[in-house]
Amino acid sequence: MSLAELQTVGAASEALAGQGYLADRPLALAVSLAVSLEQPLLLEGEAGVGKTEVARALAAASGARLIRLQCHEGIDLHHAVYDWDY
């Protein structure tokens, strides 16, 4: 499934479910809006709530490559770019 096909809440929910991630409606809406608007989806939350799993499921469903950036307090653009070896 391509990213373009994830532009509806139902399609986003089905795509994530197909990868074993059961998303509630607000998360499926956020995913579909991010895809439709071609904007990043920024997830915030405590450790272990499933932020990385959403990314993995979305990447797998769309055939995209997952690039993970571990964010933490104090990280800035220069550190992020250096970490990626840009």
Side-chain angles (χ1 to χ4, degrees):
M1 177 175 282
S2 71
L3 280 177
E5 296 173 299
L6 299 176
Q7 293 186 2
T8 67
V9 175
S13 183
E14 287 177 25
L16 292 172
Q19 297 301 317
Y21 191 96
L22 300 178
D24 61 2
R25 184 167 173 76
L27 178 59
L29 175 61
V31 167
S32 67
L33 286 172
V35 170
S36 296
L37 298 172
E38 297 180 1
Q39 294 295 313
L41 177 61
L42 304 176
L43 300 173
E44 181 180 51
E46 297 296 321
V49 298
K51 300 176 299 290
T52 301
E53 288 306 312
V54 172
R56 285 186 182 134
L58 187 56
S62 64
R65 183 174 153 220
L66 176 64
I67 300 173
R68 184 173 180 262
L69 173 64
Q70 183 68 39
C71 296
H72 53 81
E73 190 173 323
I75 193 169
D76 62 13
L77 174 64
H78 299 290
H79 286 103
V81 171
Y82 178 80
D83 288 346
W84 277 355
D85 195 21
Y86 187 77

